[in-house]
Structure formats: C-alpha cells, structure tokens
Amino acid sequence: DAKTTQPPSMDCAEGRAANLPCNHSTISGNEYVYWYRQIHSQGPQYIIHGLKNNETNEMASLIITEDRKSSTLILPHATLRDTAVYYCIVRAFSGAGSYQLTFGKGTKLSVIP
Amino acid sequence: SQTIHQWPATLVQPVGSPLSLECTVEGTSNPNLYWYRQAAGRGLQLLFYSVGIGQISSEVPQNLSASRPQDRQFILSSKKLLLSDSGFYLCAWTGTLFNYGYTFGSGTRLTVV
C-alpha cells in the first residue's frame, strides 16, 4: 500500500479556506486517494475521494497533482465544526474482495474563531 | 438508505470479564464489514474484516475474536478482557464496489478496569 505523509497539526481562521496537504509519492496508478475526518469521540466520516482528476462535493474539494504524488484537501470556508483530525488514505485492495483502509495519524485541524 | 448501528455506546468492564459488541447494517446486502480500534491518543487499527457470512480475517493477533452469524451482523468478542483492550471500537461497512469508502458506526468506548 502506498503510504501517506501529513503534517501533524494545522490552524485555520474561521471563515477562511483550510488547505490540508498530503504526500503519497509511492501511489500506484490504480490507487485512489481518500479523505476522512474524525471529530472527537465520533467515528470517521467520509469526505471525498479521487483518482487523478480534481473533485468537488458539498463538503470539500480535492486537488491531485498531475504526477499524483501529492494532493490537497480544501475546505472553502472553515467553521468551528470543521475542527477534527483529517486522514489522507490511499486505498489498499485485498484479493479477497474487501477494501482495507490503513489510517495514519492524520492532521489535527483547529479552526480558530 | 443504508444505516449502521453499533452498541453499546459506552462500556466499563472488569479485567477478566467477557465482551460482546454488536454491529448491524441496514439497507444493503452482502456488505464488507470491519472492526477498528482506537486506543487513547492513537490512530485507528484494523482488527478484523469480513466479506461474507462466517468469513473472518484477522489483522492483528490479540485477545479478541469476531464473528459474522448473519449477512448484516458483525460481533466482536473476548472471553477475558485485559486492561490493554480499553479503547474506542468502531464498526464500518463498505459495498462491494467501494466507490464511496467506508461508513462508520458511532463507536463503543470500552474501559477495562
């Protein structure tokens, strides 16, 4: 599985865009990049995923570099409720048909009023 | 729509006592099911996954076991709890296409005393 590297923590002012980077230099051509977040004492929540094109949904945008070695999750207007640990994950495929996700330590985003 | 239920939300158990945590999924069939554990201040660790009834794969040798007696039911058990079994236990499911990643339950916070 491709490993990911994220900064351990980041701060963002409320109302500003939060840009969370992730390096995945060993990613394979058929591996997707997934982003989840975990608010304290809750289960992780799916945010967005992509293969090589930029993606946008109601929660965030995902920008993947052309060489796919890094990506950035963008929360366009951060609110206090976006304070959470954000995980960047590259999907691992198991031959048994299950799809295991390996969670790293993620980035703790603190949105500051 | 699909929903995942996990209970209980919190549990305090003495060392040496048995454990049974249950997870059920509604609104889908033949899901892939997963048990994760998160120790205090640590990342998410995959414990077990299942691609079908009676099919269990273990990721980490430990004091725990898992069973899948029905298609949408996943149970985590222990015969004798250890202090090190304390943590936040999360159940998750994916569809066979995995297009949208995992959906996690709300978790069970287990404290072994």
Side-chain angles (χ1 to χ4, degrees), chain A residues 1-2 28 30-32 34 89-102, chain B residues 32 34 49 51 59 94-98 102:
Chain A
D1 302 341
S28 299
N30 62 347
E31 289 181 311
Y32 287 74
Y34 282 82
I89 304 163
V90 174
R91 188 186 77 178
F93 175 71
S94 166
S98 69
Y99 300 89
Q100 302 171 56
L101 289 181
T102 302
Chain B
N32 295 324
Y34 307 81
Y49 68 89
V51 299
E59 288 297 298
T94 66
T96 53
L97 294 181
F98 195 65
Y102 285 8

Side-chain angles (χ1 to χ4, degrees), chain A residues 34 36 38 40-46 49 87 91-92 94 96-105, chain B residues 32 34 36 38 43-44 46 49 51 59 88 90 94-102 104-106 109:
Chain A
Y34 282 82
Y36 286 75
Q38 187 176 21
H40 183 61
S41 295
Q42 297 183 23
Q45 175 190 23
Y46 164 83
H49 75 284
Y87 298 98
R91 188 186 77 178
S94 166
S98 69
Y99 300 89
Q100 302 171 56
L101 289 181
T102 302
F103 287 80
K105 295 183 178 180
Chain B
N32 295 324
Y34 307 81
Y36 279 84
Q38 188 171 37
L44 286 155
L46 178 63
Y49 68 89
V51 299
E59 288 297 298
F88 190 43
L90 289 154
T94 66
T96 53
L97 294 181
F98 195 65
N99 287 335
Y100 297 100
Y102 285 8
F104 281 86
S106 54
R109 189 162 301 281

Side-chain angles (χ1 to χ4, degrees), chain A residues 8-14 18 20 75 78-86 107-113:
Chain A
S9 64
M10 291 182 64
D11 292 340
C12 178
E14 188 178 16
L20 293 94
L75 307 179
T79 71
L80 298 179
R81 287 175 294 182
D82 292 322
T83 293
V85 177
Y86 287 77
T107 296
K108 181 173 174 53
L109 175 68
S110 298
V111 180
I112 302 168

Side-chain angles (χ1 to χ4, degrees), chain B:
Chain B
S1 64
Q2 301 92 355
T3 56
I4 180 169
H5 302 281
Q6 192 179 342
W7 66 91
T10 59
L11 193 59
V12 179
Q13 292 284 98
V15 169
S17 64
L19 173 73
S20 180
L21 302 180
E22 188 164 344
C23 171
T24 59
V25 180
E26 295 179 357
T28 188
S29 59
N30 197 30
N32 295 324
L33 296 171
Y34 307 81
W35 279 110
Y36 279 84
R37 177 173 63 194
Q38 188 171 37
R42 307 285 295 275
L44 286 155
Q45 179 186 35
L46 178 63
L47 301 176
F48 302 94
Y49 68 89
S50 171
V51 299
I53 296 174
Q55 301 180 58
I56 308 295
S57 295
S58 174
E59 288 297 298
V60 182
Q62 61 221 320
N63 185 41
L64 303 170
S65 61
S67 62
R68 186 169 175 174
Q70 301 181 44
D71 181 46
R72 289 168 289 179
Q73 184 185 29
F74 204 25
I75 297 172
L76 183 69
S77 305
S78 174
K79 293 182 178 179
K80 290 184 177 181
L81 284 169
L82 306 172
L83 287 175
S84 58
D85 291 324
S86 294
F88 190 43
Y89 288 82
L90 289 154
C91 180
W93 76 274
T94 66
T96 53
L97 294 181
F98 195 65
N99 287 335
Y100 297 100
Y102 285 8
T103 299
F104 281 86
S106 54
T108 295
R109 189 162 301 281
L110 171 67
T111 303
V112 182
V113 296

